[in-house]
Amino acid sequence: MARYTGPVCKLCRREGVKLFLKGDKCMSHCTLERRNTKPGQHGASNRRNKESEYAKQLREKQRVRRTYGVLERQFSKTFHTAANRPGRTSENLLQILEMRLDNLVYRLGLADSRAQARQLVNHGHFAVNGRKTDIPSFIAKPNDVITVRERSKGTEYFKTRALLLAQKGVPTWLSLDINALTGRVVTIPSRADLELPFDEQMVVEYYQR
């Protein structure tokens, strides 16, 4: 299945919650707040059919997948990796998704959205532990250091980004050196560290049905 390239606001309207697919822009220019209906010709219908448990589980799975910008097959593999790890599958799933390189670039404030972070990683702007890494799905570990490569620091984008970073904070499980444009993974986040618009336990129920 190809990656979705249409208007991302439609995805938020379909799921009925803000997925923050545009990053900070979602705080001030949110289509969902102006058009709180599902997209399509029947989106504004007043009919309210009761959703089955399967439908609810499917919606939560789609919310998680779309939030992190992961394709269906890749998401399924990620879930099974989480299920084979010790501990709660739901928390393992979130931890794997949060430790993706594109998500870490977004969390560090080096991109406005996960989609933009994925593009920056694909273009080779980052190194992990001093080694160029252009794979968005790369899974980092605690104490890994993510750095904007020297050749990229001189670009207009990262010069501007360095000025904006002073106004942003980073999660407690990450650290950021603004001057060096370098971030570090302090620890793997727990569920309590994350504010996310979905119930990941329903994703587990979806795959275990």
Side-chain angles (χ1 to χ4, degrees):
M1 186 177 78
R3 189 173 298 280
Y4 178 77
T5 58
V8 294
C9 290
K10 276 190 175 183
L11 300 182
C12 294
R13 288 174 58 203
R14 177 63 186 88
E15 304 306 332
V17 294
K18 282 188 180 184
L19 301 179
F20 295 96
L21 301 179
K22 289 185 176 180
D24 290 344
K25 288 183 180 179
C26 294
M27 302 299 294
S28 56
H29 299 84
C30 180
T31 302
L32 184 64
E33 294 176 353
R34 291 181 281 110
R35 299 179 64 187
N36 192 12
T37 58
K38 294 179 181 179
Q41 61 178 333
H42 301 297
S45 173
N46 291 323
R47 291 184 305 170
R48 296 193 177 187
N49 297 325
K50 184 178 180 180
E51 283 190 327
S52 65
E53 281 303 307
Y54 170 77
K56 292 177 182 178
Q57 294 162 3
L58 175 62
R59 289 269 57 83
E60 290 301 309
K61 188 264 292 185
Q62 294 295 74
R63 286 172 184 170
V64 177
R65 189 176 67 78
R66 287 168 171 169
T67 294
Y68 289 97
V70 181
L71 298 179
E72 186 65 48
R73 183 178 296 180
Q74 189 177 26
F75 187 80
S76 178
K77 288 181 179 179
T78 301
F79 175 84
H80 290 298
T81 298
N84 289 326
R85 289 186 178 184
R88 293 186 61 188
T89 299
S90 58
E91 188 158 352
N92 290 342
L93 175 64
L94 288 185
Q95 289 174 346
I96 293 173
L97 293 171
E98 285 289 326
M99 296 295 276
R100 284 172 53 102
L101 181 56
D102 54 358
N103 181 75
L104 292 174
V105 168
Y106 165 68
R107 292 292 192 190
L108 288 167
L110 296 169
D112 289 326
S113 65
R114 291 181 178 88
Q116 185 183 42
R118 185 163 48 250
Q119 184 179 49
L120 291 170
V121 173
N122 274 327
H123 289 178
H125 291 295
F126 295 95
V128 178
N129 299 329
R131 188 170 185 174
K132 177 186 174 183
T133 306
D134 56 6
I135 302 173
S137 60
F138 174 87
I139 304 298
K141 303 180 296 297
N143 295 317
D144 277 356
V145 176
I146 300 161
T147 310
V148 177
R149 299 178 66 205
E150 287 299 324
R151 61 181 294 179
S152 300
K153 289 180 180 178
T155 63
E156 194 62 36
Y157 173 82
F158 284 107
K159 287 180 180 178
T160 303
R161 181 58 51 174
L163 299 175
L164 295 174
L165 287 174
Q167 306 169 23
K168 292 178 173 285
V170 297
T172 55
W173 50 279
L174 298 173
S175 65
L176 175 66
D177 183 335
I178 297 175
N179 294 326
L181 288 178
T182 298
R184 184 173 72 86
V185 180
V186 177
T187 186
I188 297 175
S190 67
R191 184 60 177 94
D193 296 322
L194 307 171
E195 294 183 11
L196 298 167
F198 45 72
D199 180 359
E200 63 280 2
Q201 182 57 38
M202 293 187 74
V203 180
V204 178
E205 295 170 4
Y206 170 84
Y207 280 104
Q208 292 180 344
R209 71 191 187 281

